[in-house]
Amino acid sequence: MASSANGPRRVTIDDVARAAGVSRQTVSRALNDKGEIDASTKQRVLDTAHELGYRPSRFARGLVRQDSISVGLMIPDLLNPFFTEVAAAALEAARKRGWHVVVYDTGDRVEEERGTLEVIASQVDAVVGYLSLPEDEIDKLIRGLPAVLIDREHRAERYNAIRIDGEAGVHAAIRHLADAGHHRIAMLDHAARSEPSIRHHWFATAMAACGLEPVAVSRADQSLEGGEHALRELLAEHPDVTAVFTFNDIIAIGALRTARRLGRQVPRDLAVIGFDGLQLGTLVEPALTTVALDTRELGALTIEQAGRLLARSGPLSHDEAAVKAELRLRESA
């Protein structure tokens, strides 16, 4: 893929023509299956276009107007209120620009993500959202489309990202627990990936900064039932745990339900802190203490970053493209 001072640029029909050693008109005839070209030349052009990752512009093909951009928004689980809030914020920001957004729920499955990208690559002008595939595989699937990854550091220049910076918020949460006298603290991390999450890293460094060792780090499905089951197993093995930090608010709310069923008073017997800042956390008893994100900002920045890539005006800087999470004290800790 070609690149410029402002980052990656889409491979053009002129790039294909130069690489294949033919005219621009010949490339156009080959790609549009016109008859005025011999078979060997046509095949050479098609092979070159494939090797370069050329994808005909929807604008050049006259399929859309410049003011009618279409964006594919990839969401891993629309049943999770956090992702629903992010999607709603992105839709609102895109609507203000006059853009069309198509939301795809991948079910947090890589095979579904792969299949969705294959389908939408020729239908949208940019892809944004939560992508777990390796960047080289994403690149093959979307062939030069601008892409914005949410909650993931990008390693290649051809993509950009909106980061979640929760390190200070998690440190504040663990410091709050330590100051309240908690020394037997565990974490319920997500179980969707084989490797520990970045939130686990923030938790571990925060514990070390407080001079503490985690009692345990257990895995939980990102659901109410996942939080219930994970806390039950954790307390069966480590009954002396007095505080739990969880990967997200949904897991935390499930943990609250298990604590109540086991007769543990929250926060007197067990303090619980989540991560996300869902409105749902204010509706449970006791109200959930959490490391909170601004989902409206997260969605808006994602669309802003996509707009900059489409306009080739240079992406948001590393600091500008970050949403900070802050401790929000309520009743559960």
Coordinates of all heavy atoms in Angstrom, one line a residue, residues 223-287:
S223 N -20.6 -10.8 31.0 CA -22.0 -10.9 31.1 C -22.4 -10.9 32.6 O -21.5 -11.1 33.5 CB -22.6 -12.2 30.5 OG -22.1 -13.3 31.1
L224 N -23.6 -10.7 33.0 CA -24.1 -10.8 34.4 C -23.8 -12.2 34.9 O -23.3 -12.3 36.0 CB -25.5 -10.5 34.5 CG -26.0 -9.0 34.2 CD1 -27.5 -8.9 34.2 CD2 -25.4 -8.1 35.2
E225 N -24.2 -13.2 34.1 CA -23.9 -14.6 34.5 C -22.5 -14.9 34.7 O -22.1 -15.6 35.6 CB -24.6 -15.5 33.6 CG -26.1 -15.5 33.5 CD -26.6 -14.3 32.7 OE1 -25.7 -13.6 32.0 OE2 -27.8 -14.0 32.7
G226 N -21.6 -14.3 33.8 CA -20.2 -14.5 33.9 C -19.6 -13.9 35.2 O -18.8 -14.5 35.9
G227 N -20.1 -12.7 35.6 CA -19.7 -12.1 36.9 C -20.1 -12.9 38.1 O -19.4 -13.1 39.0
E228 N -21.4 -13.4 38.0 CA -21.9 -14.2 39.1 C -21.1 -15.5 39.3 O -20.6 -15.8 40.4 CB -23.4 -14.6 38.8 CG -24.4 -13.5 38.9 CD -25.7 -13.9 38.4 OE1 -25.9 -15.0 37.8 OE2 -26.7 -13.2 38.7
H229 N -20.9 -16.2 38.2 CA -20.1 -17.5 38.3 C -18.7 -17.3 38.7 O -18.2 -18.0 39.6 CB -20.2 -18.2 36.9 CG -19.4 -19.5 36.9 ND1 -19.9 -20.6 37.5 CD2 -18.2 -19.8 36.3 CE1 -19.1 -21.6 37.3 NE2 -18.0 -21.1 36.6
A230 N -18.0 -16.2 38.2 CA -16.6 -16.0 38.5 C -16.4 -15.6 39.9 O -15.5 -16.1 40.6 CB -16.0 -14.9 37.6
L231 N -17.3 -14.8 40.5 CA -17.1 -14.4 41.9 C -17.4 -15.6 42.8 O -16.7 -15.8 43.8 CB -18.0 -13.3 42.3 CG -17.8 -12.8 43.7 CD1 -16.5 -12.1 43.8 CD2 -18.9 -11.8 44.1
R232 N -18.4 -16.4 42.5 CA -18.7 -17.6 43.3 C -17.5 -18.5 43.4 O -17.1 -19.0 44.4 CB -19.9 -18.3 42.7 CG -20.4 -19.5 43.6 CD -21.6 -20.1 43.0 NE -22.7 -19.2 43.1 CZ -23.3 -18.7 42.0 NH1 -22.7 -19.0 40.8 NH2 -24.3 -17.9 42.0
E233 N -16.8 -18.8 42.2 CA -15.6 -19.6 42.2 C -14.5 -18.9 42.9 O -13.7 -19.6 43.7 CB -15.2 -19.9 40.8 CG -16.2 -20.9 40.1 CD -15.6 -21.4 38.8 OE1 -14.6 -20.8 38.2 OE2 -16.0 -22.5 38.4
L234 N -14.3 -17.6 42.8 CA -13.2 -16.9 43.4 C -13.4 -17.0 44.9 O -12.4 -17.3 45.6 CB -13.2 -15.4 43.0 CG -12.3 -14.5 43.7 CD1 -10.8 -14.8 43.3 CD2 -12.6 -13.1 43.4
L235 N -14.5 -16.8 45.5 CA -14.7 -16.8 46.9 C -14.7 -18.2 47.5 O -14.3 -18.3 48.7 CB -16.1 -16.1 47.3 CG -16.1 -14.6 47.0 CD1 -17.5 -14.1 47.4 CD2 -15.0 -13.8 47.7
A236 N -15.0 -19.2 46.7 CA -14.9 -20.5 47.2 C -13.4 -20.9 47.4 O -13.1 -21.6 48.3 CB -15.5 -21.5 46.1
E237 N -12.6 -20.4 46.5 CA -11.1 -20.7 46.6 C -10.4 -19.7 47.5 O -9.4 -20.1 48.2 CB -10.5 -20.7 45.2 CG -9.1 -21.1 45.2 CD -8.5 -21.3 43.8 OE1 -9.3 -21.2 42.8 OE2 -7.3 -21.5 43.6
H238 N -10.9 -18.4 47.6 CA -10.2 -17.4 48.4 C -11.3 -16.7 49.2 O -11.6 -15.5 48.9 CB -9.5 -16.4 47.5 CG -8.5 -17.0 46.6 ND1 -7.2 -17.4 47.0 CD2 -8.5 -17.3 45.2 CE1 -6.5 -17.9 46.0 NE2 -7.3 -17.9 44.9
P239 N -11.8 -17.3 50.3 CA -12.9 -16.7 51.0 C -12.5 -15.4 51.8 O -13.3 -14.7 52.3 CB -13.3 -17.8 52.0 CG -12.1 -18.7 52.1 CD -11.4 -18.7 50.7
D240 N -11.1 -15.2 51.9 CA -10.7 -14.0 52.7 C -10.6 -12.8 51.8 O -10.2 -11.7 52.3 CB -9.3 -14.3 53.3 CG -8.2 -14.7 52.3 OD1 -8.6 -15.1 51.1 OD2 -7.0 -14.6 52.6
V241 N -11.0 -12.8 50.5 CA -11.0 -11.7 49.7 C -12.0 -10.6 50.2 O -13.1 -11.0 50.5 CB -11.3 -12.0 48.2 CG1 -11.7 -10.8 47.4 CG2 -10.2 -12.8 47.6
T242 N -11.6 -9.4 50.3 CA -12.5 -8.3 50.8 C -12.8 -7.3 49.8 O -13.6 -6.4 50.0 CB -11.8 -7.6 52.0 OG1 -10.6 -6.9 51.6 CG2 -11.5 -8.6 53.1
A243 N -12.2 -7.3 48.6 CA -12.5 -6.4 47.5 C -12.2 -7.0 46.2 O -11.2 -7.8 46.0 CB -11.6 -5.1 47.7
V244 N -13.0 -6.6 45.2 CA -12.8 -7.1 43.8 C -12.9 -5.9 42.8 O -13.8 -5.1 42.9 CB -13.9 -8.1 43.5 CG1 -13.8 -8.6 42.0 CG2 -13.8 -9.3 44.4
F245 N -11.9 -5.9 41.9 CA -12.0 -5.0 40.8 C -12.3 -5.8 39.6 O -11.7 -6.9 39.4 CB -10.6 -4.3 40.6 CG -10.5 -3.5 39.3 CD1 -11.2 -2.4 39.1 CD2 -9.6 -4.0 38.3 CE1 -11.1 -1.7 37.9 CE2 -9.5 -3.3 37.1 CZ -10.3 -2.1 36.9
T246 N -13.2 -5.4 38.7 CA -13.7 -6.2 37.6 C -13.3 -5.5 36.3 O -13.2 -4.3 36.2 CB -15.2 -6.5 37.7 OG1 -15.9 -5.2 37.5 CG2 -15.5 -7.1 39.0
F247 N -13.3 -6.3 35.2 CA -12.9 -5.8 33.9 C -14.0 -4.8 33.4 O -13.6 -3.8 32.7 CB -12.9 -7.0 32.9 CG -12.6 -6.6 31.5 CD1 -11.4 -6.2 31.0 CD2 -13.7 -6.5 30.6 CE1 -11.1 -5.9 29.7 CE2 -13.5 -6.1 29.3 CZ -12.2 -5.8 28.8
N248 N -15.2 -5.0 33.7 CA -16.3 -4.1 33.3 C -17.4 -4.1 34.3 O -17.5 -4.8 35.2 CB -16.7 -4.3 31.8 CG -17.4 -5.6 31.7 OD1 -17.9 -6.3 32.6 ND2 -17.5 -6.1 30.4
D249 N -18.4 -3.1 34.0 CA -19.5 -3.0 35.0 C -20.4 -4.1 34.9 O -21.1 -4.5 35.9 CB -20.2 -1.7 34.6 CG -19.5 -0.4 35.1 OD1 -18.5 -0.5 35.7 OD2 -20.0 0.7 34.7
I250 N -20.6 -4.7 33.8 CA -21.5 -5.9 33.7 C -21.1 -7.0 34.6 O -21.9 -7.6 35.3 CB -21.7 -6.3 32.2 CG1 -22.4 -5.3 31.4 CG2 -22.4 -7.6 32.1 CD1 -23.8 -5.0 31.8
I251 N -19.8 -7.3 34.5 CA -19.2 -8.4 35.4 C -19.4 -8.0 36.8 O -19.8 -8.8 37.7 CB -17.7 -8.6 35.0 CG1 -17.6 -9.2 33.6 CG2 -17.1 -9.5 36.1 CD1 -16.2 -9.4 33.2
A252 N -19.2 -6.7 37.1 CA -19.3 -6.2 38.5 C -20.7 -6.3 39.0 O -20.9 -6.7 40.2 CB -18.8 -4.7 38.6
I253 N -21.7 -6.0 38.2 CA -23.1 -6.1 38.6 C -23.5 -7.6 38.9 O -24.2 -7.9 39.8 CB -24.0 -5.5 37.6 CG1 -23.8 -4.0 37.6 CG2 -25.5 -5.8 37.9 CD1 -24.5 -3.2 36.5
G254 N -22.9 -8.5 38.1 CA -23.1 -9.9 38.3 C -22.5 -10.3 39.6 O -23.1 -11.1 40.4
A255 N -21.3 -9.8 39.9 CA -20.6 -10.1 41.2 C -21.4 -9.6 42.4 O -21.5 -10.2 43.4 CB -19.2 -9.4 41.2
L256 N -22.1 -8.4 42.2 CA -22.9 -7.9 43.3 C -24.1 -8.8 43.6 O -24.4 -9.1 44.8 CB -23.5 -6.5 42.9 CG -22.6 -5.3 42.9 CD1 -23.3 -4.1 42.4 CD2 -22.0 -5.1 44.3
R257 N -24.6 -9.4 42.6 CA -25.7 -10.4 42.8 C -25.3 -11.6 43.5 O -26.0 -12.1 44.4 CB -26.3 -10.7 41.4 CG -27.1 -9.6 40.8 CD -27.5 -9.8 39.4 NE -28.2 -11.0 39.1 CZ -28.8 -11.3 37.9 NH1 -28.7 -10.4 36.9 NH2 -29.4 -12.4 37.7
T258 N -24.1 -12.1 43.2 CA -23.6 -13.3 43.9 C -23.2 -13.0 45.3 O -23.5 -13.7 46.2 CB -22.3 -13.8 43.2 OG1 -22.7 -14.5 42.0 CG2 -21.6 -14.8 44.0
A259 N -22.6 -11.8 45.6 CA -22.3 -11.4 46.9 C -23.6 -11.4 47.8 O -23.6 -11.9 48.9 CB -21.7 -10.0 46.9
R260 N -24.7 -10.8 47.3 CA -25.9 -10.8 48.0 C -26.4 -12.2 48.3 O -26.9 -12.5 49.4 CB -26.9 -9.9 47.2 CG -28.3 -9.8 47.9 CD -29.1 -8.7 47.3 NE -29.4 -9.0 45.9 CZ -28.9 -8.3 44.9 NH1 -28.1 -7.3 45.1 NH2 -29.2 -8.6 43.6
R261 N -26.4 -13.1 47.3 CA -26.9 -14.4 47.5 C -26.0 -15.2 48.5 O -26.5 -16.1 49.1 CB -26.9 -15.1 46.1 CG -28.0 -14.6 45.2 CD -27.8 -15.1 43.8 NE -28.8 -14.6 42.9 CZ -28.8 -14.7 41.6 NH1 -27.8 -15.2 41.0 NH2 -29.8 -14.1 40.9
L262 N -24.7 -14.9 48.6 CA -23.9 -15.5 49.5 C -23.9 -14.9 50.9 O -23.2 -15.3 51.8 CB -22.4 -15.5 49.0 CG -22.1 -16.3 47.8 CD1 -20.7 -16.2 47.3 CD2 -22.5 -17.8 48.0
G263 N -24.7 -13.9 51.1 CA -24.9 -13.2 52.4 C -23.8 -12.2 52.7 O -23.7 -11.9 53.9
R264 N -23.0 -11.8 51.7 CA -22.0 -10.8 52.0 C -22.5 -9.4 51.8 O -23.1 -9.1 50.7 CB -20.8 -11.1 51.1 CG -20.0 -12.4 51.3 CD -18.6 -12.2 51.0 NE -17.8 -13.4 51.3 CZ -16.5 -13.4 51.4 NH1 -15.8 -12.3 51.1 NH2 -15.9 -14.6 51.7
Q265 N -22.4 -8.6 52.7 CA -22.8 -7.2 52.6 C -21.8 -6.4 51.9 O -20.6 -6.5 52.1 CB -23.0 -6.6 54.0 CG -24.1 -7.2 54.8 CD -25.5 -7.0 54.2 OE1 -25.8 -5.9 53.8 NE2 -26.3 -8.0 54.2
V266 N -22.3 -5.6 50.9 CA -21.4 -4.8 50.1 C -21.7 -3.3 50.5 O -22.9 -2.9 50.5 CB -21.7 -5.0 48.6 CG1 -20.9 -4.0 47.7 CG2 -21.4 -6.4 48.1
P267 N -20.7 -2.5 50.9 CA -19.2 -2.9 50.8 C -18.7 -3.4 52.1 O -17.5 -3.5 52.2 CB -18.7 -1.5 50.4 CG -19.5 -0.5 51.2 CD -20.9 -1.1 51.1
R268 N -19.5 -3.6 53.1 CA -18.9 -3.9 54.5 C -18.1 -5.2 54.4 O -17.0 -5.2 54.9 CB -20.1 -4.1 55.5 CG -19.6 -4.3 56.9 CD -20.7 -4.7 57.8 NE -21.2 -6.1 57.5 CZ -22.3 -6.7 58.0 NH1 -23.0 -6.0 58.8 NH2 -22.6 -7.9 57.6
D269 N -18.6 -6.3 53.8 CA -17.9 -7.5 53.7 C -17.1 -7.7 52.4 O -16.1 -8.4 52.4 CB -18.9 -8.7 53.8 CG -19.7 -8.7 55.1 OD1 -19.2 -8.2 56.1 OD2 -20.9 -9.0 55.0
L270 N -17.6 -7.0 51.4 CA -16.9 -7.2 50.1 C -17.1 -5.9 49.3 O -18.3 -5.5 49.0 CB -17.4 -8.4 49.3 CG -16.8 -8.6 47.9 CD1 -15.4 -9.2 48.1 CD2 -17.6 -9.5 47.1
A271 N -16.0 -5.2 48.9 CA -16.1 -4.0 48.1 C -16.0 -4.4 46.6 O -15.2 -5.3 46.3 CB -15.0 -3.0 48.4
V272 N -16.8 -3.8 45.8 CA -16.8 -4.1 44.3 C -16.6 -2.8 43.5 O -17.4 -1.9 43.7 CB -18.1 -4.8 43.9 CG1 -18.0 -5.1 42.4 CG2 -18.3 -6.1 44.7
I273 N -15.7 -2.8 42.6 CA -15.4 -1.7 41.7 C -15.4 -2.2 40.2 O -14.7 -3.2 39.9 CB -14.1 -1.0 42.0 CG1 -14.1 -0.4 43.4 CG2 -13.9 0.1 40.9 CD1 -12.9 0.4 43.8
G274 N -16.2 -1.6 39.4 CA -16.3 -1.9 38.0 C -15.4 -1.0 37.1 O -14.6 -0.2 37.6
F275 N -15.7 -1.1 35.8 CA -15.0 -0.3 34.8 C -15.9 -0.1 33.7 O -16.4 -1.0 33.1 CB -13.7 -0.9 34.4 CG -12.8 0.0 33.6 CD1 -11.6 0.4 34.1 CD2 -13.1 0.4 32.3 CE1 -10.7 1.2 33.3 CE2 -12.3 1.2 31.5 CZ -11.1 1.6 32.1
D276 N -16.2 1.2 33.3 CA -17.0 1.6 32.1 C -17.8 2.8 32.4 O -17.8 3.7 31.7 CB -17.9 0.5 31.6 CG -17.2 -0.5 30.7 OD1 -16.1 -0.3 30.2 OD2 -17.8 -1.6 30.5
G277 N -18.5 2.8 33.6 CA -19.3 3.9 34.0 C -20.7 3.9 33.3 O -21.3 4.9 33.0
L278 N -21.3 2.7 33.2 CA -22.6 2.5 32.7 C -23.7 3.2 33.6 O -23.6 3.2 34.8 CB -23.0 1.1 32.5 CG -22.1 0.2 31.6 CD1 -22.7 -1.2 31.6 CD2 -22.2 0.8 30.2
Q279 N -24.7 3.8 32.9 CA -25.8 4.3 33.7 C -26.5 3.2 34.5 O -27.1 3.5 35.6 CB -26.8 4.9 32.7 CG -26.4 6.2 32.1 CD -26.2 7.3 33.2 OE1 -27.1 7.5 34.1 NE2 -25.1 8.0 33.1
L280 N -26.4 2.0 34.0 CA -27.0 0.8 34.7 C -26.4 0.7 36.1 O -27.1 0.3 37.0 CB -26.7 -0.4 33.9 CG -27.3 -1.8 34.5 CD1 -28.8 -1.7 34.6 CD2 -26.8 -2.9 33.6
G281 N -25.2 1.1 36.3 CA -24.6 1.0 37.6 C -25.2 1.9 38.7 O -25.0 1.6 39.9
T282 N -26.0 2.9 38.2 CA -26.7 3.8 39.2 C -28.0 3.2 39.6 O -28.6 3.6 40.6 CB -26.9 5.2 38.6 OG1 -27.8 5.1 37.5 CG2 -25.6 5.8 38.1
L283 N -28.5 2.1 39.0 CA -29.8 1.6 39.2 C -29.8 0.3 40.1 O -30.8 -0.1 40.5 CB -30.5 1.2 37.9 CG -30.6 2.3 36.9 CD1 -31.2 1.8 35.6 CD2 -31.4 3.5 37.5
V284 N -28.6 -0.2 40.4 CA -28.5 -1.4 41.2 C -28.3 -1.0 42.7 O -27.9 0.2 42.9 CB -27.3 -2.3 40.7 CG1 -27.5 -2.8 39.3 CG2 -26.0 -1.6 40.8
E285 N -28.5 -1.9 43.6 CA -28.3 -1.7 45.0 C -27.2 -2.6 45.5 O -27.4 -3.8 45.4 CB -29.6 -1.9 45.8 CG -30.6 -0.8 45.5 CD -30.3 0.5 46.1 OE1 -29.4 0.5 47.0 OE2 -30.9 1.5 45.7
P286 N -26.2 -2.1 46.1 CA -25.8 -0.6 46.2 C -25.3 -0.1 44.8 O -24.8 -0.9 44.0 CB -24.7 -0.6 47.3 CG -24.0 -1.9 47.1 CD -25.1 -2.9 46.8
A287 N -25.4 1.2 44.6 CA -24.9 1.8 43.4 C -23.5 1.5 43.2 O -22.7 1.5 44.1 CB -25.2 3.3 43.4

